[in-house]
Amino acid sequence: MSFRSRIAFAAAHVAADPAGDNRPGAPAALDWDATLAFRHHLWRHGLGVAEAMDTAQRGMGLDWAATRELIRRSAAEARSVGGRIAAGAGTDHLLPSTVDGVRAAYEEQVEVVESTGAQVILMASRALAAVARGPRDYHAVYGEVLRQVREPVILHWLGPVFDPALKGYWGSDDLDLATDSFVELVRAHADKVDGVKVSLLDAAHEVRLREALSVRVYTGDDFHYPELIEGGSDALLGVFAAIAPVAARALRALDSGDHDGYRAAFEPTLPLARHLFEAPTYYYKTGIAFLAWLSGHQPGFTMVGGLQAGRGVPHLRTAYHLASGIGLFEDPELAQRRMRAFLTVAGVA
């Protein structure tokens, strides 16, 4: 099952092996059964899986060896059920210090993704942000990679609120100048770009970008997704991993032209989404994994790289209450028992 009116990807998290040595700086040890079962959960609701993205802790605990295996396994599972899958290709397996080194790193990861049959998502590169001296360097790298890809890709513009190392991406700290550079690149390679995924948490900017481009715009705005999707954006969202059943209900309503039903489904989820993605936004993955544990999708609340420490008890307790308040838990008793156990371990009465 998929949706007629919009393409919708959920950026999926990874479940850590609760018995693994998932401390900061250690290689990632995954619970493969739970990780892959969660992808089937998303496919059953009609959502595509955006694999190996920042939600899966790229650059925050998920190393390249585990990433490569994750893409391979998830793509195989997608084929087994006819599920849509796209996967992130970046440069995080190397520390390239030149523009040519960044391009070569991208090419290596693109080849891995394409070999599995998954659609390529060209992720933003910390290395490129560090070595590029202006828009020309971005165009040189992306232009050469886009000329080589086999099928149209999704370009990912991840803003500094999600990753401070990406400040000044596309060659300028000025948003208008960066946008001009980005639009020029997309227009020059429109035959190789399926769409762009924009994660700037700026709804007005996304609307302007949608009007300027002839390719899809996949919203990555976890603060304003109901209005942006209704207005014409497709979706590639981390929050959809947390609210998959509700997202599916909303998108089915949109398919049938029931805009009131669409809004009634989505609007109650906004307080939870805005809480999960509050500053520092890059720790939103902790809340996603916590809700997955409360929902029974993984055996423990532990994360690769020890990222479960990214949010404190007050934040996670509020996330539980907001999720419970909108009926998100299919097994409320299980969620309540796990929440009580978590608070007990934390020393909270």
Side-chain angles (χ1 to χ4, degrees):
M1 179 186 69
S2 58
F3 309 104
R4 298 189 306 275
S5 56
R6 301 289 186 272
I7 295 175
F9 288 99
H13 79 298
V14 292
D17 180 353
D21 185 22
N22 281 300
R23 53 187 166 78
L30 299 190
D31 181 330
W32 287 109
D33 289 342
T35 294
L36 296 174
F38 190 77
R39 279 116 183 96
H40 283 277
H41 158 71
L42 298 174
W43 287 318
R44 282 194 297 272
H45 285 291
L47 297 169
V49 169
E51 188 56 275
M53 301 293 292
D54 45 298
T55 307
Q57 297 181 239
R58 291 292 290 271
M60 294 187 75
L62 190 71
D63 57 275
W64 174 237
T67 299
R68 190 171 51 226
E69 182 67 7
L70 176 66
I71 294 170
R72 185 189 70 78
R73 292 194 187 208
S74 292
E77 294 297 316
R79 288 194 299 273
S80 75
V81 297
R84 182 184 289 269
I85 187 167
T91 65
D92 53 329
H93 63 305
L94 299 174
L95 294 174
S97 57
T98 66
V99 171
D100 285 343
V102 173
R103 175 189 49 76
Y106 265 129
E107 290 169 349
E108 184 176 338
Q109 291 204 14
V110 166
E111 175 57 32
V112 168
V113 175
E114 288 186 330
S115 72
T116 70
Q119 183 179 15
V120 173
I121 303 171
L122 280 184
M123 300 178 67
S125 166
R126 292 174 179 173
L128 185 54
V131 303
R133 293 297 172 260
R136 182 174 298 179
D137 286 340
Y138 286 89
H139 286 236
V141 170
Y142 278 92
E144 183 59 30
V145 173
L146 288 170
R147 277 189 285 273
Q148 297 178 48
V149 295
R150 301 172 194 168
E151 301 291 340
V153 309
I154 298 172
L155 288 182
H156 189 193
W157 185 353
L158 191 69
V161 68
F162 284 92
D163 188 343
L166 300 176
K167 187 175 185 293
Y169 215 73
W170 306 115
S172 178
D173 289 334
D174 182 292
L175 182 59
D176 289 337
L177 293 177
T179 300
D180 289 344
S181 171
F182 182 63
V183 169
E184 180 185 349
L185 174 73
V186 174
R187 287 175 174 171
H189 302 278
D191 60 324
K192 292 296 186 74
V193 179
D194 162 57
V196 300
K197 194 265 191 181
V198 187
S199 300
L200 300 181
L201 302 183
D202 185 335
H205 177 267
E206 182 173 318
V207 171
R208 292 194 299 272
L209 197 61
R210 203 167 59 205
E211 293 169 348
L213 294 174
S214 60
V215 301
R216 296 181 184 275
V217 172
Y218 292 90
T219 187
D221 190 328
D222 301 276
F223 284 3
H224 307 101
Y225 52 92
E227 65 189 79
L228 289 166
I229 295 170
E230 188 174 15
S233 292
D234 293 283
L236 198 165
L237 289 159
V239 74
F240 274 13
I243 63 167
V246 180
R249 186 164 66 248
L251 292 167
R252 285 195 298 269
L254 190 62
D255 280 351
S256 66
D258 180 7
H259 288 259
D260 288 340
Y262 169 89
R263 294 170 195 148
F266 259 153
E267 286 178 3
T269 67
L270 280 171
L272 173 63
R274 291 171 179 173
H275 177 70
L276 292 175
F277 286 79
E278 70 181 10
T281 301
Y282 41 84
Y283 286 129
Y284 76 87
K285 302 116 173 136
T286 302
I288 299 291
F290 185 66
L291 292 178
W293 172 61
L294 293 179
S295 299
H297 292 300
Q298 59 191 64
F301 175 49
T302 185
M303 300 175 69
V304 299
L307 201 69
Q308 66 271 15
R311 297 293 200 191
V313 172
H315 176 94
L316 297 174
R317 182 164 51 186
T318 298
Y320 163 75
H321 286 297
L322 289 171
S324 180
I326 60 174
L328 193 62
F329 300 121
E330 295 182 6
D331 187 341
E333 293 184 359
L334 173 65
Q336 186 179 70
R337 287 197 306 273
R338 289 190 165 185
M339 188 67 208
R340 285 175 174 165
F342 170 75
L343 292 175
T344 297
V345 171
V348 178

